[in-house]
Amino acid sequence: MKVLFCSQPFQENKVDETYEYEYTCAKQLGLDIHLISLEQLIYQDNPLAAVKQIQPSPEKVLAIYRGWMLKPFLYQKLYDALLAKNIELINTPEKYVHCHYLPESYEVIKDFTPLSVWLHKEEIDASFENVYRILNRFGQAPIMIKDYVKSRKHDWNEACYIPDASDKEKVQQVTSRFLELQQDELNEGVVFREFVKLQFLTHHSQSNMPLSQEYRVFFLDGEPMYMANYWEEGQYDDTPPDLQPFLEVAKKIKSRFFTMDIAKLENGSWTILELGDAQVSALPEQADRCEFFTRLKRNFL
Ligand SMILES: Nc1ncnc2c1ncn2[C@@H]1O[C@H](COP(=O)(O)OP(=O)(O)O)[C@@H](O)[C@H]1O
Ligand SMILES: [Mg+2]
């Protein structure tokens, strides 16, 4: 198994600073690590140059990417360039998008996650009436918004949280502000989600958004592989969540390596907040990176 990290933008022989510690741990554990250039992939549109530091493999070999999120079409380009060298990323482009875009996996996780509806950007641009219509089902309940991948959670009141889904002015304000802030970074469209009552932990020290006991769980081939507290702030319970209620649905998710972020509701049960492709999901601040790679390695011995 190979582990591919992204390099610094203009120093292709150095790992991107954000992944330096992961890279060091993987190296110490004797994993077969390599660097790829996102600068070449994204900005130069040169996937072959992006993977030029990696030698073709005589036999097909599995690889895991650890780096920044990629738009699905770029993941596809990276996947193809590697496959031409007999190197196969753990998730096919279809599997990547399944966990990357919330609408793609919603059908699978809908009984375990807040009620969600979505509109493509074009549908919103066509008429804001489309937004009001789709929000009818939430009545006067609070909702939160995000695009198909990310929210602007640190702009909580301005571009994430809507206290009353029937308040057209507020809906218009928050959604427009969200679109404005996302600019070209917007992923496809907007997802509107029932705002569920999570057990309050603390307010984020910088953005003041309300935090709850949220955990990021990495699943590999249908089994939980590694779990860490999502936030660095606030006092989590001593006992970590029981993953039993999620094990069955995890097996239905069409991805070999994904993350499931779960949070504790006020009633004490747990809900799925989002899924992600584990190759591009950040390890939470206090995660033990060496332990993460130790477990990854163990699964591929
Ligand atoms: N449906 C929801 N109800 C209540 N709080 C939510 C809901 N969805 C997300 N949150 C809160 O908002 C934060 C950001 O949402 P999330 O979907 O994880 O977006 P991001 O991809 O930006 O992390 C979560 O960490 C959680 O605290
Ligand atoms: Mg999140």
Side-chain angles (χ1 to χ4, degrees), residues 248-284:
E248 211 173 306
V249 68
K251 292 200 187 338
K252 296 192 183 131
I253 292 163
K254 297 181 200 104
S255 167
R256 288 193 62 190
F257 193 36
F258 64 91
T259 49
M260 182 188 280
D261 293 346
I262 57 172
K264 196 175 194 179
L265 293 163
E266 274 187 355
N267 70 12
S269 66
W270 295 80
T271 186
I272 299 178
L273 287 184
E274 61 173 340
L275 302 180
D277 187 285
Q279 300 174 104
V280 299
S281 294
L283 275 161

Side-chain angles (χ1 to χ4, degrees), residues 53-71:
Q53 295 187 67
I54 314 174
Q55 293 303 311
S57 165
E59 290 144 31
K60 204 174 244 186
V61 59
L62 180 75
I64 285 173
Y65 164 63
R66 283 294 300 159
W68 300 108
M69 285 182 177
L70 294 169
K71 294 251 162 82

Side-chain angles (χ1 to χ4, degrees), residues 114 144 146 149-153 156 160 193-198 209-212 214 216 230-231 261 273-274:
M144 66 83 72
K146 62 187 292 183
V149 181
K150 292 298 294 175
S151 70
R152 295 204 63 103
K153 58 190 175 220
W156 189 252
C160 191
R193 317 195 74 192
E194 167 197 8
F195 181 77
V196 292
K197 289 202 167 114
L198 301 175
M209 72 168 284
L211 307 185
S212 70
E214 187 176 342
R216 173 156 288 180
Y230 188 80
W231 301 109
D261 293 346
L273 287 184
E274 61 173 340

Side-chain angles (χ1 to χ4, degrees), residues 125-139:
D125 288 345
S127 166
F128 218 83
E129 288 301 322
N130 290 332
V131 176
Y132 301 140
R133 191 174 326 116
I134 208 169
L135 292 186
N136 266 337
R137 77 192 65 190
F138 293 108

Side-chain angles (χ1 to χ4, degrees), residues 5 7 38 40 44-45 56 63 74-75 91 112 124 139 147 150 160 174 196 219 225 235 255 261 281:
F5 289 95
S7 63
L38 295 190
Q40 292 289 354
Q44 308 301 327
D45 190 22
L74 290 168
Y75 184 82
N91 284 326
F112 302 86
I124 300 174
D147 68 20
K150 292 298 294 175
C160 191
V174 175
V196 292
F219 281 85
M225 183 198 91
Q235 189 59 45
S255 167
D261 293 346
S281 294

